[in-house]
Amino acid sequence: MTYTLTTPLYYVNDRAHLGSAYTTLACDAIARYRRLKGESVLFITGCDEHGQKIQRTAEAAGMSPQAHCDAISADYRALWERWQISNDRFIRTTDPRHQRIVEQFFARVEANGDITEGRQQGWYCVACEEFKDDPREAQDPECPIHRRPLEWRDEVNLFFRLSRYQDQIQALIQTPGFIAPESRRREVENFVAHGLRDFSISRVNLPWGIPVPGHQGHTFYVWFDALLGYITALLAAEDEPLLDTALARGWPASLHVIGKDILRFHAVYWPAMLLSAGLPLPAKVFGHGFLTREGQKMGKSLGNVLDPAVLLERCGTDAVRWYLLRDIPFGDDGDFQQQRFTDLVNNDLANTIGNLLNRTSSMARRWFDDGVPPGQDSTRSADSSHPLAVAATAACRTFEAALEQLDFRQAAEAALQLAIQANGYLNEQAPWSLMKREGTRDQVADDLYAVLESARIVGLLLAPLLPDLSSRMLLQLGQTPPQSLAAAAPDQPSPSSWVDQLRWGGLVPASTLPEPVPVMARLELTEDL
Ligand code: MSP
């Protein structure tokens, strides 16, 4: 079974911002974790390139929509590469193969009697690409999200008969685990309880979209086309653009990760569209929260947008990944605070984790011939009752259980706690004092072995969350970092030994320890990011 996992397909009206980086980093951690466990993963990201918003943005920039999309989507692709995102696919909805998939899907929905013609009247937010529900009476209504005026629309469109799926969607929403976290599930439940209305899936007079077959003058509403990008993305490079071929590559999706603002599309409209086409439904939709900066909404007008490219360049991928995954409960809103960011990175990564490794391997090298000290058999055995062995086993259990729940914060804390315990143990045992006494060499060797072994496990646990730091730690211990990258042939599970490596006792006595270099530099930010 393939674990298919998606980020939203990002609009190309603008370059990536911290919100898009947040979702993508979280998905990357999940994809890496699953691969490390030996699962076959298909990690999809990409760009959503049609619709009025994109058309207008391109016009304003004096570019053709296609040229504009090419430029911005290339930016996205390059950015994810620099962040070391391990996506297996990057889909663009202007890919000609996507049009073929949309046509085939639409044919199924139409054959099922779910397409009708109707008159669409209402207030539209171009930035959301969405009709707003209730502002009919208001004068000069504006979008509550974008604070921009809504536009009145009155046109003949094709409609999807969403109302037909009321009961099925209602039941789906009750399915445990389909929508997470629970607070988001309740939002959707509320929305559905008010009764589902058919929604328009085409636009007239909008050239920048996929033409609706058999309905001249209509192009598909951008959301109808975009959601199907998840299916087009399944196609391998050599595949013909056939719906069934794509589906066989990894449908249904195991997980759609999205921000809370687009929950309705994923948890209501999308499943209904799939039901209509007779296709299986995704297993889970996770709606995460919104990021603010120093308590304020990020926006161009406020001039406080955090550019992920700048952040990466100045702070590095480990620091940002750590802060976002460790500090913000996944699902809740989160606030980016520069001081807190610096403090967490310096305390957790540079001091606690980095120094643990550095000072322990320096002592080991100095006193034990540049190699791993010989721990006692009882300390090294997989079921050792050494306090650090017990702590490591518990940390691994907590870590896995947390990631299964997409609780990155708890997973990160489990790894960090193990490092804290190992530091505590080292301070208690004080091998630097012991070494000054006679007959204590075996004890020191055993202590250092246990601490180094704990550091190895911390390094391994960090592999899905902070792949770079994890590799540096493991190399520092003379180990080979595990593979968690996109596989060359992603539908073949890459054999993984991560789970085996997590077992206590993996360090081999007398194996070489390379000369220590700091694995994590401190962040010294003198000005605002
Ligand atoms: N194109 C649609 C998605 C189509 S999926 C088939 C779209 N694109 S978007 O670029 O506007 O938004 C992408 C994601 O970024 C959404 O999940 C949205 O919730 C998220 N975020 C936008 N601003 C954000 C923050 N400030 N913080 C966190 N996530 C944010 O919607």
Side-chain angles (χ1 to χ4, degrees):
M1 250 285 283
T2 299
Y3 188 93
T4 299
L5 155 80
T6 69
T7 72
L9 307 184
Y10 302 110
Y11 281 131
V12 290
N13 62 310
D14 207 348
R15 296 182 43 226
H17 50 72
L18 193 65
S20 12
Y22 180 49
T23 325
T24 311
L25 290 174
C27 286
D28 187 55
I30 303 165
R32 286 173 184 271
Y33 167 68
R34 299 264 155 204
R35 289 193 198 104
L36 285 166
K37 287 195 18 173
E39 292 179 34
S40 159
V41 173
L42 208 56
F43 170 18
I44 292 169
T45 188
C47 286
D48 180 357
E49 305 190 353
H50 288 128
Q52 186 145 39
K53 170 157 67 170
I54 310 295
Q55 186 177 302
R56 284 190 187 170
T57 313
E59 274 163 14
M63 289 168 93
S64 75
Q66 188 63 58
H68 169 81
C69 292
D70 290 349
I72 304 276
S73 69
D75 265 6
Y76 266 98
R77 211 191 270 265
L79 183 71
W80 299 152
E81 259 170 43
R82 268 184 283 148
W83 278 102
Q84 296 171 25
I85 300 301
S86 66
N87 55 299
D88 300 285
R89 299 282 195 273
F90 187 97
I91 171 73
R92 298 182 53 193
T93 57
T94 50
D95 178 340
R97 300 201 300 174
H98 178 58
Q99 175 162 351
R100 299 274 292 109
I101 297 293
V102 173
E103 288 165 359
Q104 293 163 66
F105 184 90
F106 176 72
R108 289 203 195 188
V109 173
E110 193 168 39
N112 196 24
D114 282 335
I115 300 297
T116 57
E117 209 169 80
R119 185 158 167 211
Q120 174 74 62
Q121 280 187 318
W123 291 102
Y124 194 73
C125 171
V126 175
C128 293
E129 291 282 16
E130 187 180 14
F131 278 99
K132 296 292 164 183
D133 289 335
D134 299 312
R136 274 155 214 259
E137 306 81 41
Q139 263 192 340
D140 304 326
E142 60 172 31
C143 168
I145 298 173
H146 294 96
R147 300 268 163 237
R148 287 209 219 125
L150 298 174
E151 298 177 20
W152 179 253
R153 293 288 159 82
D154 182 356
E155 56 184 47
V156 172
N157 288 161
L158 299 173
F159 278 71
F160 172 69
R161 289 175 66 183
L162 181 64
S163 52
R164 249 182 141 185
Y165 296 92
Q166 177 80 32
D167 293 348
Q168 277 160 286
I169 296 294
Q170 225 149 0
L172 175 67
I173 288 166
Q174 302 308 326
T175 311
F178 175 65
I179 304 175
E182 173 60 20
S183 55
R184 306 260 180 268
R185 195 194 67 77
R186 282 196 301 269
E187 275 169 36
V188 178
E189 194 175 34
N190 243 330
F191 170 71
V192 176
H194 282 91
L196 293 177
R197 282 185 287 169
D198 298 347
F199 72 97
S200 68
I201 58 137
S202 76
R203 298 285 180 266
V204 286
N205 308 321
L206 178 64
W208 191 239
I210 296 179
V212 183
H215 299 270
Q216 233 197 339
H218 290 257
T219 50
F220 281 107
Y221 168 44
V222 59
W223 269 101
F224 190 88
D225 134 29
L227 288 160
L228 285 162
Y230 295 142
I231 291 183
T232 309
L234 297 166
L235 289 170
E238 67 279 10
D239 286 342
E240 288 293 313
L242 297 173
L243 184 55
D244 287 334
T245 308
L247 294 167
R249 290 272 179 203
W251 196 254
S254 301
L255 177 65
H256 292 307
V257 179
I258 52 164
K260 60 183 182 179
D261 56 328
I262 55 174
L263 193 58
R264 208 182 271 188
F265 290 101
H266 285 79
V268 178
Y269 296 8
W270 179 224
M273 286 162 59
L274 290 163
L275 285 169
S276 170
L279 301 182
L281 303 182
K284 193 183 195 72
V285 177
F286 191 100
H288 66 67
F290 260 46
L291 297 180
T292 48
R293 178 174 186 182
E294 313 290 347
Q296 277 195 310
K297 191 175 182 273
M298 276 182 273
K300 275 193 189 156
S301 47
L302 284 166
N304 66 346
V305 177
L306 264 174
D307 182 339
V310 171
L311 202 55
L312 178 66
E313 200 174 295
R314 295 188 45 195
C315 311
T317 150
D318 296 313
V320 184
R321 285 181 190 247
W322 182 252
Y323 180 66
L324 294 177
L325 298 177
R326 178 229 191 292
D327 203 40
I328 302 165
F330 200 50
D332 294 0
D333 291 337
D335 189 33
F336 185 94
Q337 293 167 7
Q338 188 160 321
Q339 190 58 50
R340 184 164 169 78
F341 167 53
T342 317
D343 291 348
L344 279 184
V345 168
N346 289 344
N347 291 339
D348 299 348
L349 301 184
N351 296 350
T352 303
I353 294 179
N355 280 350
L356 172 73
L357 181 57
N358 208 279
R359 64 180 177 147
T360 317
S361 63
S362 301
M363 287 185 272
R365 278 170 51 92
R366 191 172 334 131
W367 300 325
F368 296 91
D369 226 3
D370 290 343
V372 173
Q376 292 165 22
D377 288 353
S378 60
T379 298
R380 290 193 290 115
S381 85
D383 55 1
S384 169
S385 57
H386 190 285
L388 287 181
V390 173
T393 311
C396 293
R397 221 179 297 125
T398 309
F399 184 90
E400 278 205 47
L403 278 195
E404 291 296 327
Q405 301 298 318
L406 308 181
D407 187 343
F408 300 110
R409 187 162 73 146
Q410 207 189 1
E413 263 168 20
L416 180 65
Q417 275 310 320
L418 178 57
I420 291 174
Q421 282 166 300
N423 269 317
Y425 183 80
L426 198 62
N427 292 343
E428 264 167 36
Q429 300 299 106
W432 45 90
S433 311
L434 276 182
M435 258 329 254
K436 292 180 190 146
R437 288 193 247 145
E438 285 291 300
T440 54
R441 192 175 164 81
D442 288 354
Q443 179 65 48
V444 170
D446 199 55
D447 290 342
L448 291 183
Y449 180 90
V451 175
L452 282 174
E453 178 59 10
S454 305
R456 185 185 70 90
I457 293 187
V458 172
L460 276 173
L461 288 178
L462 291 180
L465 308 180
L466 312 184
D468 248 16
L469 176 60
S470 161
S471 292
R472 291 198 299 278
M473 289 179 73
L474 293 167
L475 291 171
Q476 187 81 98
L477 287 162
Q479 304 283 302
T480 313
Q483 265 303 331
S484 65
L485 284 172
D491 39 3
Q492 296 296 312
S494 55
S496 164
S497 53
W498 184 67
V499 176
D500 295 337
Q501 288 174 8
L502 278 173
R503 230 169 276 137
W504 179 265
L507 277 180
V508 179
S511 57
T512 310
L513 285 174
E515 191 172 336
V517 281
V519 285
M520 187 71 202
R522 291 177 62 81
L523 275 184
E524 309 284 356
L525 298 174
T526 46
E527 51 194 74
D528 275 355
L529 283 164

